[in-house]
Amino acid sequence: MAMTTTGTVNEMIMSSVFTLTTPLSRRFGPRLGQLLSKRSGTPDQVIETPSFVTSTSRGVVPHLSRDHHRATKAIRWANVPFETFLEHNPPVPTLLTGANPMHNFLGFVPGQHLLSLCIRDPADGREMPPNGNKHTSAYCLRGVRKVSPENWRTYVEACQPDMVVAMYDQPFTDPPYSQKRLTKSIERTSAWLADLLLSLQSSQSSRHRPLVLVQMAGGTNIAARKAFSTNLTDILYGKEADAIAPLTCLDEGVFGYTFDLVPLRQSLDPTTPDSPTPTADPTLPDPVPSDVSTQSCVQTTQLIPFIQASLSSLPTTKIRVTHTARSPHEILRLIQDVGIDIFDAHWAQKAADVGVALDFQFPVPKHGATTRRNGKRDLGHNLYHSQYTHDLCWMASSFSKERPCTCLACSPFSPATRIEHSIVDHDSQDPIASNTQKPSFSRAYIHHLLHTHEMSAHSLLTMHNLTILDEFFSGIRSVLSTAEGKSFFVEVDRFVDEYDETLEVFDEARLLWREVDLARGKGRLAREKSKQTQSTLGTAIQG
Amino acid sequence: MQFEVLARCKTTRARVCRMKLAHGVTMLPTFMPVATQAAIKGLTAEQVDSLGVSLLLNNTYHLNLRPGLQVLNEAGGAHKFQGWQRNLLTDSGGFQLVSLSKFTTITEEGALFSSPFTGEPTMLTPEESILIQHTIGADIIMQLDDVVSSLTVGPRVEEAMERSVRWLDRCIARHEASGKTTTQNLFAIIQGGLDPVLRDKCLDEMTKRKDGVAGYAIGGLSGGEEKDIFWKIIKQCAEKLPEDRPRYSMGIGFAEDLLVCVALGVDMADCVFPTRTARFGVALTHGGPINLRLSKHAVDLNPIDPDCPCPTCKDGTSRAILHHTVTHETSAAHALTLHNITFQAQVMGRARTAIMEGTFPEYLLSFFKQYFGDNGYPEWCVNALRTVGVDLLREGGKVISGSGAKWEYAED
Ligand SMILES: [Zn+2]
Ligand SMILES: [Zn+2]
């Protein structure tokens, strides 16, 4: 059942595999799998699927120092949009030498963190200048930059990520797109994929060859999506075949398929906000921070036919990735009805930005207190709310009343070692505990940190939310593995019945975030303000 | 408190002391990072602990407003609330009252101000300040003093000094009546502005009350006064304060200020500077502060300081990635905060080692040479250290007047 991505081609260099343990004959429906990632000189890494990839901003996991992102076991795979590095030419990460250059530059550990590169931030749906036959437009602080297929393969070769999303033609001009535009998009994406595959194969210098993911083109046109998939599996002849030999078709060189949901949502509902334009006038009050994914009214069921169309003719064996699913409900439906293997953590990380501590579980442990008018339970706690002022409990109670969650916020440890700065310092450490578990940080403490604009709140919330998300996926896998997936459908229904999908608690948190920000008064730079309002991750640095 | 002098410098007045408080031992001289709101910017208590910091400062004024005493009480004190297991110091809240509230009026009873929540007139008395600090539960608590700006002149300075002495008596009485003297230690604050005569009077009065006082702070400085006056007051106070009590210089954080104060006999200091400057992209190094926002760091793949033991440098975090993320990502601020706190601890740690080994004057010479190099030594440092037998210009070197060198952070 195991299959290497490209048969004979990649075996010599690396043999990372994605293996499904559920029947391959099932094209759509929940699947269990295992991604075994190999990288020369580092231990093998195993990621059980369904699972998630952690989003980064400017190359780092927002709010986490390196010791924190390493201690957060939930972070197994980080996706790095490369575009911010285009501010410098040549991009600084391409100047690095030695093994694992991009991992080292960003502080990720090969063997512990799978690192994938893409060009654009999948959460950023802002309008962009049109792409060309030989370039895609990317965005960085210094403005729009053109990236050519040649640029992209040079960057990838220099950075040596574990995985790369081939350059693709995603229009970010005003939707809807014409048939002609979509045809062009398909042609370009295919050509650019071929270009990357060719260069990766002919590259002798690189000891390491990244796995290639392809973004599924075709927009919201079912026929176009199907045509793109057919393109991938068509056996090539003549000059085209020579160009990618020994591959016989593009799909042979592809490790998996990726689906960015932001452009799909924008296409289906043109009122979906894109990344808002930064407030030009710093004296104006901040707009409430928005989020492309949560504010769209596009339902998951509307997205599914397009994803299915892409997958209808492709091998079922390859890994399937989506970006910016907006809720656990959407994740569950995409697992149930499509069989998506990897999601990003964008929504959970964004929750940490606005002060929401996640507190939910799959399968639903028992019926809990309902807090919404619609009779549903919240997915988390808006820790800005005054109800938490005196709440000395740990963040997640639905998880377990007896045991806190395992993140460093809920299960902190006293340091294993402390830096000694002088020859008499050992004396000062004598009776102090080392490497022992400490009490959890309380909701009241984080409530206090949020209201006093302390950045530590977001560090604690990020570690916690990623860990809760990890538990969620672990729960999904255990339900899928125990009962052949039969009870999974029942559990999905129970989950949807139990937890509020309208994410009202997020909206309330955003409003309180705004209030606290206004109370804080003037004195913040417009740039910092705009950072807070963007759909991309992170909050402004507090001056 | 158990307080013991372990070693004295044979040239300067610097010393190494062991201060044992309810939450462990802190070796002096030391620098205290400031966790105003019960958190060091962006870090967790465990991270700060791992850096070798054993004494942290919380601000009473802020904690009294948020989370408030009721929450702190319910949590079992500020240590537990913020997960800090080492020693803690709180100020009296008086300084913030005066600097953050325009409408504070001082009466003999206490400081009268309008509540930031209700606007109602509220009185902070010396007794009340001690009571609040008892609830917070810090290992070291400060007396409420009558704070005047170091630039104030005239009879107000003398009045403030004398009132601070009277308020000390009330603080001592309240503290002793509380039965908390074994777990919490009251420090007095020497006032008297920039007038040596008033400082002397205050020193006389406050050292008379030594039995009720665990340590002494030197207050009313670092408010924009001439550096040559600053160090003279520090020197005068440190000389006159009892040998068997720790001496704490409030609001001091630049490396050169710290080392001059240590040479003059100071044991403890605190400042927001190293954590605040980190948020603006400045890394403190033994070669002087560097501003990572400057484009010259954009392609520099070296760490801030390859010899630094902080997590940021030990991990090889490059100046380039810090430049890429600084002021955009909070994690860059965290990385620099980890480094800057370690740098401060290192400056003081190396002083402890040098004093123990009898090489403190040499440490001063080598530190200043590396830190200021060709920029030239601040004249006031040269003057101050000469009075304790160390000549920074022994091997030549440039001197610049004013407060000191222009660092990278001043360039843009
Ligand atoms: Zn947690
Ligand atoms: Zn460092």
Side-chain angles (χ1 to χ4, degrees), chain B residues 87-98:
Chain B
N87 292 317
L88 199 56
L89 180 150
T90 45
D91 62 0
S92 68
F95 177 74
Q96 265 84 19
L97 261 191
V98 173

Side-chain angles (χ1 to χ4, degrees), chain A residues 57 70 418 421 427 438 445, chain B residues 18 38 46 49 51 83 329:
Chain A
S57 170
R70 265 174 224 161
R418 296 176 174 87
H421 297 281
D427 189 23
K438 297 169 61 176
Y445 181 57
Chain B
R18 186 177 184 279
E46 296 72 41
D49 191 357
L51 301 179
E329 292 298 329

